Amino acid sequence: MTTSSAFDVLPTTADAQPSLEELWMPFTANRAFKRAPRMLVSAKGMYYTAADGRQILDGTAGLWCVNAGHCREPITAAIREQAGVMDYAPPFQMGHPLAFELAQQLARMLPGDIDHVFFGNSGSEAVDSALKIALAYWQSKGQAQRVRFIGRSRGYHGVGFGGIAVGGIEANRKQFAGQLLPAVDHLDHTHDLARNAYSRGQPQHGAELADGLEALVQKHGADTIAAVIIEPVAGSTGVLIPPVGYLERIREICNRHGILLIFDEVITGFGRLGAAFAAEKFGVVPDMMTVAKGITNATVPMGAVCVRGEVYDAVVNAAPGGIELFHGYTYSGHPLAAAAGLATLDVYRSEGLFERAASLESYFGDAVHSLRGAPHVVDLRNIGIVGAIELEPRPGAPGARGFETFLKCFEAGVLVRSTADTIALSPPLIVERDEIDRMFEVVGEAIRDVA
Ligand SMILES: Cc1ncc(COP(=O)(O)O)c(C=O)c1O
């Protein structure tokens, strides 16, 4: 008698190529990808190796996350070692030392009096956790009517229901409309090509857009608003850099009305702007920060909400006893992620990577702005080790020019990111000057080739 097993269907030879059909890829044109796949098979330092053996210069730090470069030995060694010591420990009513150690180290790095850390596994989880903590905070302060969130048009806060509700990218919402948070409003975004095109660093014009928050406070009433959530520099929507004075004014309005301010630093955290966090770069301290990506150099998924002591005190220390926050994930503070996080912070610190990013900012900015005058370019902007090249959309085909430029760059051996018709570059912070030169040479050629 033959027995069948669920495992019979797996390929049995080492070189069998998997079918591409079964995997439902995220944020991907699945059918087009599967017709012409772009596969990466290994990575080291600044480079990926593609399935056809080509070296691909990583102009995007993976997805804004591999800030120290790929497969860094101290980080992979720490993960390997931890996997052999303790693979997993339950985080509810139990603990393990590495999660506490990582929280302590983060608390030392965090700005102002942000000194408590709640772990999750991604930016999306960090955002949803932050929104829930904001609600719990107001409940514990006896102001349970503060339930409204203010996000910003074009904002990206991941893909949880909370994140897409406060986010301001229509495409991420419209398939799911009707199921989002009930009380959300949005500020205008700050992108203003008419006044700010070709800015280096922070644009000069637009601080007054923060006054939109005052208008929303007047409309809804301050005592209904739990928190404002914004990305200090919006990344996924195509790199929107805050105008001079804008974040300060948002902070000031939140202070005036006692509204919590959340900075979503999932992209801006861990050196991307040439400082540990955007809060430090811009000198504006929020009440909570969400981080992920660079926290473990993207080796093991991890995200976190970092909060001011006052928020922790209100929810935890003022509670009568028992479990104070009915929220958490099976993998909150996972041992492998915690080990990876500690090793990552050590690499950032010992190699001075945040300072390195600061010292490269001007060279990187020059490279971005060297593309001035290239065909279809309508804006170039940069801050820290982030650059954006905005192309004029092809009539009737928005996004096509950006995507074709991304494809051409990949063919030429450089990974860039396209969001609609903006090309974003955000390489690992170990990038060398000649690699920056090469990235922008290739992008320039691709732009000239794409009609
Ligand atoms: C600002 C911001 N918040 C949240 C997220 C979501 O992070 P994740 O994809 O890890 O859920 C991202 C991802 O790019 C992001 O840029």
Side-chain angles (χ1 to χ4, degrees), residues 122-124 127 156-158 231 236 264 266-267 293:
S122 66
S124 299
V127 165
Y156 184 69
H157 299 293
E231 301 154 275
S236 303
D264 186 345
V266 165
I267 277 179
K293 297 198 187 252

Side-chain angles (χ1 to χ4, degrees), residues 63-196:
L63 203 48
W64 313 82
C65 45
V66 188
N67 291 3
H70 293 275
C71 286
R72 298 301 310 273
E73 189 48 30
I75 305 172
T76 49
I79 299 166
R80 217 182 288 124
E81 191 185 322
Q82 183 56 37
V85 172
M86 184 170 67
D87 49 358
Y88 174 74
F92 305 165
Q93 305 286 21
M94 296 296 294
H96 70 91
L98 295 186
F100 290 92
E101 194 181 333
L102 181 59
Q104 186 184 13
Q105 291 219 12
L106 283 168
R108 286 205 192 116
M109 290 172 66
L110 289 162
D113 53 355
I114 299 185
D115 56 6
H116 283 77
V117 181
F118 186 97
F119 287 120
N121 307 286
S122 66
S124 299
E125 288 183 1
V127 165
D128 280 13
S129 300
L131 300 179
K132 289 174 78 175
I133 288 172
L135 295 175
Y137 170 80
W138 287 118
Q139 227 177 69
S140 66
K141 302 275 281 187
Q143 297 192 50
Q145 82 288 350
R146 285 201 186 241
V147 292
R148 182 174 293 280
F149 292 108
I150 308 292
R152 189 167 58 180
S153 165
R154 292 188 67 169
Y156 184 69
H157 299 293
V159 293
F161 277 104
I164 60 171
V166 295
I169 299 181
E170 270 321 308
N172 293 346
R173 266 203 297 251
K174 68 173 191 270
Q175 282 179 308
F176 323 106
Q179 301 295 325
L180 307 183
L181 293 183
V184 176
D185 213 335
H186 292 85
L187 293 161
D188 289 337
H189 64 74
T190 60
H191 195 41
D192 182 353
L193 281 187
R195 291 195 293 169
N196 289 325

